Amino acid sequence: MLRQFLSLHTRALFPSTHRASAAVRLLHASRPLAADLDKEIEAITDLATTAKDEMDFAEESRNSVYYNDDKMTAHDAVEEMTNAYNALLARLSAADKTAIETRIGMRIKEIQSAYEIMTLNDLED
C-alpha cells in the first residue's frame, strides 16, 4: 500500500524520473533479445568448432577405411553449421545481419571453403 502511494506521488512530483525509469525498463526489456542472440551465436560457434574438428578427423583418416564415414560426418557438421547460420541471418535486420557477418561470418566461410577444398582433393586423388 505504501509502495503504491509512493509510486503515484513520485510520478506526480517527479515526472521526468518516471520517464527515465520507463526508458530503463525498455532497455532491460531489449536485453533478453540480445542475450538470446548471443546464445545463438555461441551455439553456431560451437557448431563451427565441431565442423572444423570433424574435418580434421576426416583429413587424418584419409587413405584409410574410416575416411568415407569421417568425411560424411564432416559434411553433416558443416551443413548443420551452415543451416543454423543462414537461419539466423534470415531473421535479422540488415544492420544486425552485417554485425553478425562481421562477428562470425568469416569463420563460417573459412570452414565452408576448407570443406570444399577437401572435397576437391578427393576428386584429384
Side-chain angles (χ1 to χ4, degrees):
M1 189 72 125
L2 179 61
R3 185 176 273 166
Q4 289 175 337
F5 174 80
L6 290 174
S7 177
L8 289 173
H9 284 35
T10 303
R11 288 184 203 159
L13 294 173
F14 307 104
S16 64
T17 305
H18 175 66
R19 274 179 280 175
S21 64
V24 169
R25 280 194 304 272
L26 181 62
L27 178 65
H28 289 295
S30 68
R31 282 193 180 152
L33 296 176
D36 289 344
L37 186 60
D38 284 341
K39 286 180 184 177
E40 272 192 85
I41 291 169
E42 184 176 336
I44 293 169
T45 302
D46 290 345
L47 290 172
T49 301
T50 300
K52 178 73 172 112
D53 289 345
E54 294 298 340
M55 288 179 4
D56 290 344
F57 294 143
E59 284 296 329
E60 289 173 10
S61 68
R62 187 178 286 280
N63 298 324
S64 76
V65 296
Y66 304 108
Y67 178 68
N68 287 332
D69 288 338
D70 289 348
K71 185 179 171 208
M72 191 62 119
T73 303
H75 174 267
D76 293 344
V78 170
E79 191 171 304
E80 184 178 4
M81 172 202 68
T82 301
N83 290 341
Y85 178 69
N86 289 336
L88 174 62
L89 291 181
R91 293 192 328 266
L92 297 175
S93 67
D96 290 339
K97 192 180 294 189
T98 301
I100 298 302
E101 287 172 339
T102 301
R103 189 167 167 186
I104 60 172
M106 184 58 96
R107 181 159 188 219
I108 300 298
K109 289 177 183 168
E110 286 174 356
I111 292 171
Q112 291 168 334
S113 295
Y115 181 77
E116 288 175 24
I117 290 170
M118 186 171 75
T119 303
L120 290 174
N121 286 341
D122 287 344
L123 296 176
E124 293 175 0
D125 288 341

